[in-house]
Amino acid sequence: MQNFVGVGVFRGRVIGPVRHMPPALAEPPAGEKLESSTAPETAAASLKSAGATVKAALQERASRADGAGKEVLEATALMATDPMLIKAAVKLINTGVSAERAIWEAGDSVAQMLTNLGGYMAERSHDVLDVRSRIVAALRGVPAPEIPDAAEPFILLADDLAPADTATLDPSKVIALVTAGGGPQSHTAIIARSLGLPAVVAAAGVAGIAEGDLVFVDGSAGVVSTEPGDAERAAVAQWQEKASLLDVFDGAGALADGTLVPLLANVGGAKDAQEAAAANAQGVGLLRTEFCFLGNSTEPSHDDQVAAYKGVFDAFAGKKVVVRTLDAGADKPLPFLTDSTEPNPALGVRGYRTDLTTPGVLARQLGAIADAAASSGADVWVMAPMISTPAEAADFAAMCTAAGLRIPGVMVEVPSAALTSRHILDHVAFASLGTNDLTQYAMAADRQLGPLAALNDPWQPAVLALVQATVDGSVAQAKHSPALGLETPSPKPVGVCGESAADPALAVVLAGLGVSTLSMTPRALPAVAAVLRTVTLAQAQALANRAVAAASAAEARELVRAGLPALAELGL
Ligand code: PEP
Ligand code: MG
């Protein structure tokens, strides 16, 4: 047996066979020529046959899919033998270009042409790029760059996953995620939590596990073991027994003494919102609007945006929905906003900053949010990602007012915003801590890098101190707010919508630090609610003080876990 230790990011224990995610496909080198021994006619015939193979494989997959997935696969299948695409490639082959390079370049031109047409046609440009990669893979005789398809449920093993990969992730087939890279705040971790899949990230060495080998995954302990035996089977059985205790959230987040801590949901669109409502989330604390448009190569139209937002609002009529404006950039590039050549995208023009380089998109988005809000019964709040200064907060608030949106707020995910929250909150109505990015920026550790997972840990006392500073800033702001009479108003709300809110022990610390709401993937609601209910505010404050004063993330975690016996009782 071999044990691999990584970071557990979602609880659960399973045993299953491993399937590897194929590596990303390398672009055929520019200027690659046909080999002198290959006639252009032969290369053209190979290309056509590769197109037909891809078409047949996609049609076979479509026959087993349903709903929107089936339609996408059927449309993509047809594109694999599309005469315009193939003719353009054959033309290049006839000038001496290799078949792989020819289909690559032909795919580029067709995609560009579709993009220029705009609207529905522009959306299809991604399908063309997808198909050309599949054809290149077929020509090379390597697996297509996609989540593998298998008849039996399996454990997906990857280097890391991007948000776009989820489009083809079938949760009835994939029973756990294991990655060699990524950290606890990476998108693999977010995807795992949102799908409720046991997951271990940053597990160095797992790439060496052979395809099809049976492994045991423990998403709480962060362990992956090959050749599972009786002990591992017993651990899985024990987990299955306890898991049912954490199936349901009753819709009322509170501490043992009755202090309310509303528990909200992080969602990426209408479908998520419906699931969140069914899971009794008390509202939406983070609508990641960029997730609604990840595949778009052009700015979504006003009507498309209104429809996407309204789908979420309608699921939460009468409740709070916090909409975050597009957070494009770094690990979530949107072609119409992001410069893919930036040397350091996490520190680049992302989030609110794209308004500097692509003005207009944000104002139009706010207009669409306002229209969707006006025709729905949700209590809509709006916040901007990646705010760094009070001046940016003031500008954003002015744009919201101009659009008719009444409750502007900011994400606090840059340390400068945490440290100046007092002044930022002079301009906006609320703040929401994005602890994923706050951790990566506080620790100067890219959240996508496996080797930096230990730094990228929201239990780092430095990160907890920034959370504390943000809350302290809101208290100071209330005391010094110029617009009052004698009475001190309540501090403006400071919530948390980073992944840290989904960790039941850390949720206790955040509540103890004075955070007003916690927003998380709906799957985490029952466990967080169950543990919060076991402590009073005074106990949560005492645990929070210990965590902030700890010398390391590990010490903070240990001190707090030791004070929460409910964790062991619930198998968390
Ligand atoms: C965060 O940074 O904590 C956050 C919630 O935003 P995202 O994970 O989408 O960057
Ligand atoms: Mg963020």
Side-chain angles (χ1 to χ4, degrees):
M1 176 190 276
Q2 258 187 306
N3 283 325
F4 301 90
V5 179
V7 180
V9 292
F10 197 77
R11 61 178 190 272
R13 297 176 193 146
V14 291
I15 292 176
V18 154
R19 298 268 170 260
H20 285 263
M21 177 90 179
L25 202 78
E27 176 178 341
E32 188 178 70
K33 297 275 170 243
L34 264 182
E35 281 176 19
S36 52
S37 56
T38 311
E41 298 72 34
T42 317
S46 310
L47 177 73
K48 286 178 188 163
S49 131
T53 307
V54 168
K55 180 179 183 179
L58 287 169
Q59 280 174 333
E60 196 276 327
R61 264 186 106 143
S63 70
R64 285 180 289 115
D66 48 33
K70 188 184 184 76
E71 279 170 31
V72 170
L73 287 166
E74 278 169 350
T76 316
L78 291 181
M79 223 164 251
T81 51
D82 180 74
M84 182 165 54
L85 178 68
I86 301 295
K87 259 191 206 156
V90 170
K91 215 167 156 191
L92 284 168
I93 291 175
N94 287 336
T95 68
V97 176
S98 77
E100 287 176 24
R101 186 68 205 174
I103 189 72
W104 194 270
E105 288 182 12
D108 267 345
S109 338
V110 174
Q112 191 54 54
M113 195 192 74
L114 293 173
T115 303
N116 294 343
L117 289 173
Y120 173 83
M121 296 311 276
E123 300 316 319
R124 302 281 68 76
S125 64
H126 277 275
D127 303 345
V128 174
L129 297 178
D130 177 35
V131 138
R132 68 121 188 240
S133 297
R134 289 169 188 272
I135 295 177
V136 171
L139 283 166
R140 288 180 188 167
V142 300
E146 63 177 353
I147 289 180
D149 189 28
E152 295 303 316
F154 60 92
I155 291 166
L156 181 65
L157 213 155
D159 184 38
D160 199 5
L161 292 172
D165 293 327
T166 42
T168 53
L169 197 156
D170 174 357
S172 68
K173 286 283 169 57
V174 179
I175 55 171
L177 298 177
V178 173
T179 62
Q185 333 272 1
S186 66
H187 276 281
T188 298
I190 295 175
I191 290 162
R193 291 190 192 106
S194 73
L195 295 172
L197 292 174
V200 179
V201 300
V206 289
I209 300 175
E211 180 83 0
D213 271 8
L214 220 52
V215 299
F216 165 70
V217 175
D218 184 335
S220 300
V223 169
V224 179
S225 314
T226 58
E227 299 172 55
D230 289 347
E232 287 72 29
R233 277 176 224 291
V236 171
Q238 196 193 15
W239 163 258
Q240 283 166 345
E241 244 173 63
K242 280 192 179 150
S244 61
L245 293 176
L246 296 173
D247 273 354
V248 187
F249 168 50
D250 65 5
L255 303 180
D257 55 10
T259 306
L260 297 181
V261 185
L263 301 184
L264 314 171
N266 290 354
V267 303
K271 189 167 159 280
D272 287 0
Q274 284 148 12
E275 284 168 14
N280 292 331
Q282 293 174 264
V284 169
L286 169 63
L287 164 58
R288 287 185 164 100
T289 54
E290 67 280 2
F291 277 24
C292 304
F293 309 112
L294 273 183
N296 285 40
S297 45
T298 53
E299 180 185 349
S301 69
H302 179 83
D303 290 353
D304 284 353
Q305 292 196 56
V306 172
Y309 309 146
K310 192 164 153 41
V312 174
F313 300 163
D314 286 348
F316 280 91
K319 302 218 169 105
K320 168 166 127 179
V321 176
V322 183
V323 183
R324 179 174 73 185
T325 55
L326 293 168
D327 183 20
D331 51 345
K332 293 172 291 189
L334 290 178
F336 58 93
L337 278 176
T338 326
D339 170 5
S340 59
T341 62
E342 271 186 351
N344 209 341
L347 299 183
V349 182
R350 59 166 293 198
Y352 174 73
R353 301 167 181 186
T354 57
D355 192 49
L356 289 173
T357 48
T358 323
V361 175
L362 178 58
R364 285 190 287 275
Q365 184 182 21
L366 292 173
I369 296 169
D371 281 357
S375 64
S376 91
D379 174 20
V380 176
W381 298 25
V382 189
M383 63 183 178
M386 290 295 290
I387 290 292
S388 310
T389 65
E392 286 178 349
D395 289 345
F396 179 68
M399 290 178 84
C400 289
T401 307
L405 290 159
R406 287 177 307 107
I407 312 181
V410 296
M411 293 278 292
V412 171
E413 45 190 351
V414 179
S416 62
L419 296 170
T420 58
S421 67
R422 174 181 158 180
H423 302 296
I424 284 179
L425 284 166
D426 275 339
H427 305 289
V428 290
F430 71 99
S432 182
L433 282 146
T435 46
N436 308 337
D437 278 313
L438 189 60
T439 306
Q440 88 162 336
Y441 296 127
M443 305 308 294
D446 187 330
R447 70 196 253 190
Q448 299 182 84
L449 293 184
L452 304 182
L455 286 175
N456 235 313
D457 184 339
W459 282 95
Q460 288 285 353
V463 177
L464 299 177
L466 287 168
V467 172
Q468 191 170 41
T470 310
V471 176
D472 288 351
S474 75
V475 174
Q477 193 275 336
K479 276 201 191 126
H480 295 95
S481 173
L484 0 152
L486 296 171
E487 236 176 276
T488 305
S490 314
K492 292 182 177 172
V494 176
V496 170
C497 63
E499 293 300 293
S500 58
D503 172 340
L506 203 39
V508 169
V509 171
L510 297 170
L513 288 173
V515 158
S516 51
T517 53
L518 297 170
S519 189
M520 64 203 75
T521 172
R523 308 258 180 190
L525 291 166
V528 169
V531 176
L532 285 180
R533 222 161 271 161
T534 65
V535 289
T536 61
L537 181 59
Q539 287 166 330
Q541 283 166 339
L543 289 169
N545 287 341
R546 277 199 241 166
V548 177
S552 68
E555 188 187 316
R557 188 187 272 113
E558 255 167 57
L559 284 171
V560 173
R561 290 189 68 91
L564 292 170
L567 293 172
E569 283 156 27
L570 293 166
L572 295 168

mmCIF file with all atom_site columns, all heavy atoms in Angstrom, residues 5-24:
data_model
loop_
_atom_site.group_PDB
_atom_site.id
_atom_site.type_symbol
_atom_site.label_atom_id
_atom_site.label_alt_id
_atom_site.label_comp_id
_atom_site.label_asym_id
_atom_site.label_entity_id
_atom_site.label_seq_id
_atom_site.pdbx_PDB_ins_code
_atom_site.Cartn_x
_atom_site.Cartn_y
_atom_site.Cartn_z
_atom_site.occupancy
_atom_site.B_iso_or_equiv
_atom_site.pdbx_formal_charge
_atom_site.auth_seq_id
_atom_site.auth_comp_id
_atom_site.auth_asym_id
_atom_site.auth_atom_id
_atom_site.pdbx_PDB_model_num
ATOM 1   N N   . VAL A 1 5  ? -0.219  12.013 1.032   1.00 0.00 ? 5  VAL A N   1
ATOM 2   C CA  . VAL A 1 5  ? -0.884  12.970 1.908   1.00 0.00 ? 5  VAL A CA  1
ATOM 3   C C   . VAL A 1 5  ? -0.973  14.327 1.204   1.00 0.00 ? 5  VAL A C   1
ATOM 4   O O   . VAL A 1 5  ? 0.023   14.828 0.678   1.00 0.00 ? 5  VAL A O   1
ATOM 5   C CB  . VAL A 1 5  ? -0.123  13.115 3.241   1.00 0.00 ? 5  VAL A CB  1
ATOM 6   C CG1 . VAL A 1 5  ? -0.832  14.135 4.139   1.00 0.00 ? 5  VAL A CG1 1
ATOM 7   C CG2 . VAL A 1 5  ? -0.059  11.769 3.942   1.00 0.00 ? 5  VAL A CG2 1
ATOM 8   N N   . GLY A 1 6  ? -2.171  14.863 1.162   1.00 0.00 ? 6  GLY A N   1
ATOM 9   C CA  . GLY A 1 6  ? -2.370  16.195 0.576   1.00 0.00 ? 6  GLY A CA  1
ATOM 10  C C   . GLY A 1 6  ? -3.207  17.020 1.524   1.00 0.00 ? 6  GLY A C   1
ATOM 11  O O   . GLY A 1 6  ? -3.168  16.822 2.735   1.00 0.00 ? 6  GLY A O   1
ATOM 12  N N   . VAL A 1 7  ? -3.994  17.926 0.973   1.00 0.00 ? 7  VAL A N   1
ATOM 13  C CA  . VAL A 1 7  ? -4.880  18.746 1.801   1.00 0.00 ? 7  VAL A CA  1
ATOM 14  C C   . VAL A 1 7  ? -6.316  18.305 1.502   1.00 0.00 ? 7  VAL A C   1
ATOM 15  O O   . VAL A 1 7  ? -6.750  18.342 0.344   1.00 0.00 ? 7  VAL A O   1
ATOM 16  C CB  . VAL A 1 7  ? -4.728  20.243 1.451   1.00 0.00 ? 7  VAL A CB  1
ATOM 17  C CG1 . VAL A 1 7  ? -5.637  21.095 2.315   1.00 0.00 ? 7  VAL A CG1 1
ATOM 18  C CG2 . VAL A 1 7  ? -3.279  20.672 1.618   1.00 0.00 ? 7  VAL A CG2 1
ATOM 19  N N   . GLY A 1 8  ? -7.028  17.856 2.534   1.00 0.00 ? 8  GLY A N   1
ATOM 20  C CA  . GLY A 1 8  ? -8.419  17.445 2.349   1.00 0.00 ? 8  GLY A CA  1
ATOM 21  C C   . GLY A 1 8  ? -9.269  18.688 2.200   1.00 0.00 ? 8  GLY A C   1
ATOM 22  O O   . GLY A 1 8  ? -9.202  19.580 3.040   1.00 0.00 ? 8  GLY A O   1
ATOM 23  N N   . VAL A 1 9  ? -10.070 18.770 1.130   1.00 0.00 ? 9  VAL A N   1
ATOM 24  C CA  . VAL A 1 9  ? -10.878 19.984 0.961   1.00 0.00 ? 9  VAL A CA  1
ATOM 25  C C   . VAL A 1 9  ? -12.377 19.729 1.025   1.00 0.00 ? 9  VAL A C   1
ATOM 26  O O   . VAL A 1 9  ? -13.154 20.672 1.152   1.00 0.00 ? 9  VAL A O   1
ATOM 27  C CB  . VAL A 1 9  ? -10.546 20.752 -0.339  1.00 0.00 ? 9  VAL A CB  1
ATOM 28  C CG1 . VAL A 1 9  ? -9.164  21.340 -0.273  1.00 0.00 ? 9  VAL A CG1 1
ATOM 29  C CG2 . VAL A 1 9  ? -10.730 19.895 -1.553  1.00 0.00 ? 9  VAL A CG2 1
ATOM 30  N N   . PHE A 1 10 ? -12.789 18.474 0.927   1.00 0.00 ? 10 PHE A N   1
ATOM 31  C CA  . PHE A 1 10 ? -14.198 18.191 1.223   1.00 0.00 ? 10 PHE A CA  1
ATOM 32  C C   . PHE A 1 10 ? -14.298 16.786 1.778   1.00 0.00 ? 10 PHE A C   1
ATOM 33  O O   . PHE A 1 10 ? -13.668 15.860 1.301   1.00 0.00 ? 10 PHE A O   1
ATOM 34  C CB  . PHE A 1 10 ? -15.106 18.370 -0.004  1.00 0.00 ? 10 PHE A CB  1
ATOM 35  C CG  . PHE A 1 10 ? -16.557 18.478 0.403   1.00 0.00 ? 10 PHE A CG  1
ATOM 36  C CD1 . PHE A 1 10 ? -17.055 19.656 0.946   1.00 0.00 ? 10 PHE A CD1 1
ATOM 37  C CD2 . PHE A 1 10 ? -17.412 17.383 0.309   1.00 0.00 ? 10 PHE A CD2 1
ATOM 38  C CE1 . PHE A 1 10 ? -18.387 19.749 1.363   1.00 0.00 ? 10 PHE A CE1 1
ATOM 39  C CE2 . PHE A 1 10 ? -18.741 17.471 0.728   1.00 0.00 ? 10 PHE A CE2 1
ATOM 40  C CZ  . PHE A 1 10 ? -19.226 18.660 1.253   1.00 0.00 ? 10 PHE A CZ  1
ATOM 41  N N   . ARG A 1 11 ? -15.131 16.688 2.816   1.00 0.00 ? 11 ARG A N   1
ATOM 42  C CA  . ARG A 1 11 ? -15.192 15.443 3.572   1.00 0.00 ? 11 ARG A CA  1
ATOM 43  C C   . ARG A 1 11 ? -15.781 14.295 2.745   1.00 0.00 ? 11 ARG A C   1
ATOM 44  O O   . ARG A 1 11 ? -16.476 14.509 1.748   1.00 0.00 ? 11 ARG A O   1
ATOM 45  C CB  . ARG A 1 11 ? -16.030 15.660 4.823   1.00 0.00 ? 11 ARG A CB  1
ATOM 46  C CG  . ARG A 1 11 ? -17.445 16.051 4.492   1.00 0.00 ? 11 ARG A CG  1
ATOM 47  C CD  . ARG A 1 11 ? -18.304 16.237 5.706   1.00 0.00 ? 11 ARG A CD  1
ATOM 48  N NE  . ARG A 1 11 ? -19.693 16.371 5.300   1.00 0.00 ? 11 ARG A NE  1
ATOM 49  C CZ  . ARG A 1 11 ? -20.261 17.513 4.976   1.00 0.00 ? 11 ARG A CZ  1
ATOM 50  N NH1 . ARG A 1 11 ? -19.556 18.615 5.017   1.00 0.00 ? 11 ARG A NH1 1
ATOM 51  N NH2 . ARG A 1 11 ? -21.518 17.561 4.598   1.00 0.00 ? 11 ARG A NH2 1
ATOM 52  N N   . GLY A 1 12 ? -15.575 13.097 3.231   1.00 0.00 ? 12 GLY A N   1
ATOM 53  C CA  . GLY A 1 12 ? -16.129 11.910 2.595   1.00 0.00 ? 12 GLY A CA  1
ATOM 54  C C   . GLY A 1 12 ? -15.041 10.886 2.362   1.00 0.00 ? 12 GLY A C   1
ATOM 55  O O   . GLY A 1 12 ? -13.865 11.241 2.205   1.00 0.00 ? 12 GLY A O   1
ATOM 56  N N   . ARG A 1 13 ? -15.431 9.617  2.432   1.00 0.00 ? 13 ARG A N   1
ATOM 57  C CA  . ARG A 1 13 ? -14.461 8.538  2.181   1.00 0.00 ? 13 ARG A CA  1
ATOM 58  C C   . ARG A 1 13 ? -15.040 7.616  1.121   1.00 0.00 ? 13 ARG A C   1
ATOM 59  O O   . ARG A 1 13 ? -16.189 7.189  1.236   1.00 0.00 ? 13 ARG A O   1
ATOM 60  C CB  . ARG A 1 13 ? -14.225 7.736  3.464   1.00 0.00 ? 13 ARG A CB  1
ATOM 61  C CG  . ARG A 1 13 ? -13.604 8.550  4.573   1.00 0.00 ? 13 ARG A CG  1
ATOM 62  C CD  . ARG A 1 13 ? -13.506 7.706  5.826   1.00 0.00 ? 13 ARG A CD  1
ATOM 63  N NE  . ARG A 1 13 ? -13.204 8.539  6.971   1.00 0.00 ? 13 ARG A NE  1
ATOM 64  C CZ  . ARG A 1 13 ? -13.650 8.310  8.196   1.00 0.00 ? 13 ARG A CZ  1
ATOM 65  N NH1 . ARG A 1 13 ? -14.399 7.251  8.446   1.00 0.00 ? 13 ARG A NH1 1
ATOM 66  N NH2 . ARG A 1 13 ? -13.335 9.108  9.180   1.00 0.00 ? 13 ARG A NH2 1
ATOM 67  N N   . VAL A 1 14 ? -14.276 7.341  0.115   1.00 0.00 ? 14 VAL A N   1
ATOM 68  C CA  . VAL A 1 14 ? -14.725 6.426  -0.940  1.00 0.00 ? 14 VAL A CA  1
ATOM 69  C C   . VAL A 1 14 ? -13.568 5.547  -1.397  1.00 0.00 ? 14 VAL A C   1
ATOM 70  O O   . VAL A 1 14 ? -12.391 5.868  -1.174  1.00 0.00 ? 14 VAL A O   1
ATOM 71  C CB  . VAL A 1 14 ? -15.255 7.169  -2.202  1.00 0.00 ? 14 VAL A CB  1
ATOM 72  C CG1 . VAL A 1 14 ? -16.549 7.882  -1.931  1.00 0.00 ? 14 VAL A CG1 1
ATOM 73  C CG2 . VAL A 1 14 ? -14.216 8.134  -2.732  1.00 0.00 ? 14 VAL A CG2 1
ATOM 74  N N   . ILE A 1 15 ? -13.937 4.427  -2.028  1.00 0.00 ? 15 ILE A N   1
ATOM 75  C CA  . ILE A 1 15 ? -12.950 3.569  -2.703  1.00 0.00 ? 15 ILE A CA  1
ATOM 76  C C   . ILE A 1 15 ? -13.416 3.443  -4.144  1.00 0.00 ? 15 ILE A C   1
ATOM 77  O O   . ILE A 1 15 ? -14.618 3.253  -4.394  1.00 0.00 ? 15 ILE A O   1
ATOM 78  C CB  . ILE A 1 15 ? -12.891 2.175  -2.043  1.00 0.00 ? 15 ILE A CB  1
ATOM 79  C CG1 . ILE A 1 15 ? -12.308 2.304  -0.628  1.00 0.00 ? 15 ILE A CG1 1
ATOM 80  C CG2 . ILE A 1 15 ? -12.060 1.200  -2.885  1.00 0.00 ? 15 ILE A CG2 1
ATOM 81  C CD1 . ILE A 1 15 ? -12.278 1.019  0.163   1.00 0.00 ? 15 ILE A CD1 1
ATOM 82  N N   . GLY A 1 16 ? -12.504 3.576  -5.093  1.00 0.00 ? 16 GLY A N   1
ATOM 83  C CA  . GLY A 1 16 ? -12.893 3.435  -6.497  1.00 0.00 ? 16 GLY A CA  1
ATOM 84  C C   . GLY A 1 16 ? -11.675 3.419  -7.390  1.00 0.00 ? 16 GLY A C   1
ATOM 85  O O   . GLY A 1 16 ? -10.555 3.686  -6.937  1.00 0.00 ? 16 GLY A O   1
ATOM 86  N N   . PRO A 1 17 ? -11.908 3.096  -8.689  1.00 0.00 ? 17 PRO A N   1
ATOM 87  C CA  . PRO A 1 17 ? -10.781 3.079  -9.629  1.00 0.00 ? 17 PRO A CA  1
ATOM 88  C C   . PRO A 1 17 ? -10.410 4.491  -10.064 1.00 0.00 ? 17 PRO A C   1
ATOM 89  O O   . PRO A 1 17 ? -11.266 5.374  -10.118 1.00 0.00 ? 17 PRO A O   1
ATOM 90  C CB  . PRO A 1 17 ? -11.334 2.287  -10.817 1.00 0.00 ? 17 PRO A CB  1
ATOM 91  C CG  . PRO A 1 17 ? -12.815 2.496  -10.753 1.00 0.00 ? 17 PRO A CG  1
ATOM 92  C CD  . PRO A 1 17 ? -13.180 2.712  -9.313  1.00 0.00 ? 17 PRO A CD  1
ATOM 93  N N   . VAL A 1 18 ? -9.145  4.657  -10.373 1.00 0.00 ? 18 VAL A N   1
ATOM 94  C CA  . VAL A 1 18 ? -8.633  5.973  -10.771 1.00 0.00 ? 18 VAL A CA  1
ATOM 95  C C   . VAL A 1 18 ? -8.702  6.150  -12.289 1.00 0.00 ? 18 VAL A C   1
ATOM 96  O O   . VAL A 1 18 ? -8.406  5.225  -13.035 1.00 0.00 ? 18 VAL A O   1
ATOM 97  C CB  . VAL A 1 18 ? -7.158  6.068  -10.303 1.00 0.00 ? 18 VAL A CB  1
ATOM 98  C CG1 . VAL A 1 18 ? -6.385  7.037  -11.156 1.00 0.00 ? 18 VAL A CG1 1
ATOM 99  C CG2 . VAL A 1 18 ? -7.097  6.469  -8.843  1.00 0.00 ? 18 VAL A CG2 1
ATOM 100 N N   . ARG A 1 19 ? -9.136  7.328  -12.706 1.00 0.00 ? 19 ARG A N   1
ATOM 101 C CA  . ARG A 1 19 ? -9.010  7.701  -14.138 1.00 0.00 ? 19 ARG A CA  1
ATOM 102 C C   . ARG A 1 19 ? -8.246  9.018  -14.178 1.00 0.00 ? 19 ARG A C   1
ATOM 103 O O   . ARG A 1 19 ? -8.597  9.963  -13.457 1.00 0.00 ? 19 ARG A O   1
ATOM 104 C CB  . ARG A 1 19 ? -10.382 7.927  -14.778 1.00 0.00 ? 19 ARG A CB  1
ATOM 105 C CG  . ARG A 1 19 ? -11.278 6.729  -14.794 1.00 0.00 ? 19 ARG A CG  1
ATOM 106 C CD  . ARG A 1 19 ? -11.138 5.917  -16.077 1.00 0.00 ? 19 ARG A CD  1
ATOM 107 N NE  . ARG A 1 19 ? -11.833 4.667  -15.956 1.00 0.00 ? 19 ARG A NE  1
ATOM 108 C CZ  . ARG A 1 19 ? -11.255 3.491  -15.682 1.00 0.00 ? 19 ARG A CZ  1
ATOM 109 N NH1 . ARG A 1 19 ? -9.959  3.409  -15.538 1.00 0.00 ? 19 ARG A NH1 1
ATOM 110 N NH2 . ARG A 1 19 ? -11.966 2.387  -15.571 1.00 0.00 ? 19 ARG A NH2 1
ATOM 111 N N   . HIS A 1 20 ? -7.247  9.075  -15.051 1.00 0.00 ? 20 HIS A N   1
ATOM 112 C CA  . HIS A 1 20 ? -6.441  10.296 -15.147 1.00 0.00 ? 20 HIS A CA  1
ATOM 113 C C   . HIS A 1 20 ? -7.060  11.285 -16.131 1.00 0.00 ? 20 HIS A C   1
ATOM 114 O O   . HIS A 1 20 ? -7.532  10.895 -17.199 1.00 0.00 ? 20 HIS A O   1
ATOM 115 C CB  . HIS A 1 20 ? -5.032  9.957  -15.654 1.00 0.00 ? 20 HIS A CB  1
ATOM 116 C CG  . HIS A 1 20 ? -4.174  9.317  -14.608 1.00 0.00 ? 20 HIS A CG  1
ATOM 117 N ND1 . HIS A 1 20 ? -3.286  10.027 -13.860 1.00 0.00 ? 20 HIS A ND1 1
ATOM 118 C CD2 . HIS A 1 20 ? -4.086  8.032  -14.201 1.00 0.00 ? 20 HIS A CD2 1
ATOM 119 C CE1 . HIS A 1 20 ? -2.670  9.208  -13.024 1.00 0.00 ? 20 HIS A CE1 1
ATOM 120 N NE2 . HIS A 1 20 ? -3.135  7.985  -13.209 1.00 0.00 ? 20 HIS A NE2 1
ATOM 121 N N   . MET A 1 21 ? -7.027  12.547 -15.773 1.00 0.00 ? 21 MET A N   1
ATOM 122 C CA  . MET A 1 21 ? -7.414  13.619 -16.702 1.00 0.00 ? 21 MET A CA  1
ATOM 123 C C   . MET A 1 21 ? -6.265  13.751 -17.711 1.00 0.00 ? 21 MET A C   1
ATOM 124 O O   . MET A 1 21 ? -5.110  13.941 -17.292 1.00 0.00 ? 21 MET A O   1
ATOM 125 C CB  . MET A 1 21 ? -7.546  14.912 -15.895 1.00 0.00 ? 21 MET A CB  1
ATOM 126 C CG  . MET A 1 21 ? -7.878  16.121 -16.704 1.00 0.00 ? 21 MET A CG  1
ATOM 127 S SD  . MET A 1 21 ? -9.658  16.284 -16.810 1.00 0.00 ? 21 MET A SD  1
ATOM 128 C CE  . MET A 1 21 ? -9.759  17.769 -17.784 1.00 0.00 ? 21 MET A CE  1
ATOM 129 N N   . PRO A 1 22 ? -6.538  13.670 -19.005 1.00 0.00 ? 22 PRO A N   1
ATOM 130 C CA  . PRO A 1 22 ? -5.427  13.797 -19.962 1.00 0.00 ? 22 PRO A CA  1
ATOM 131 C C   . PRO A 1 22 ? -4.763  15.167 -19.844 1.00 0.00 ? 22 PRO A C   1
ATOM 132 O O   . PRO A 1 22 ? -5.447  16.154 -19.535 1.00 0.00 ? 22 PRO A O   1
ATOM 133 C CB  . PRO A 1 22 ? -6.102  13.657 -21.325 1.00 0.00 ? 22 PRO A CB  1
ATOM 134 C CG  . PRO A 1 22 ? -7.452  13.116 -21.056 1.00 0.00 ? 22 PRO A CG  1
ATOM 135 C CD  . PRO A 1 22 ? -7.822  13.494 -19.654 1.00 0.00 ? 22 PRO A CD  1
ATOM 136 N N   . PRO A 1 23 ? -3.443  15.229 -20.075 1.00 0.00 ? 23 PRO A N   1
ATOM 137 C CA  . PRO A 1 23 ? -2.781  16.528 -19.993 1.00 0.00 ? 23 PRO A CA  1
ATOM 138 C C   . PRO A 1 23 ? -3.284  17.469 -21.092 1.00 0.00 ? 23 PRO A C   1
ATOM 139 O O   . PRO A 1 23 ? -3.789  17.013 -22.114 1.00 0.00 ? 23 PRO A O   1
ATOM 140 C CB  . PRO A 1 23 ? -1.299  16.195 -20.220 1.00 0.00 ? 23 PRO A CB  1
ATOM 141 C CG  . PRO A 1 23 ? -1.281  14.822 -20.805 1.00 0.00 ? 23 PRO A CG  1
ATOM 142 C CD  . PRO A 1 23 ? -2.570  14.145 -20.463 1.00 0.00 ? 23 PRO A CD  1
ATOM 143 N N   . ALA A 1 24 ? -3.147  18.765 -20.842 1.00 0.00 ? 24 ALA A N   1
ATOM 144 C CA  . ALA A 1 24 ? -3.577  19.748 -21.852 1.00 0.00 ? 24 ALA A CA  1
ATOM 145 C C   . ALA A 1 24 ? -2.828  19.490 -23.156 1.00 0.00 ? 24 ALA A C   1
ATOM 146 O O   . ALA A 1 24 ? -1.674  19.060 -23.139 1.00 0.00 ? 24 ALA A O   1
ATOM 147 C CB  . ALA A 1 24 ? -3.284  21.150 -21.340 1.00 0.00 ? 24 ALA A CB  1
#
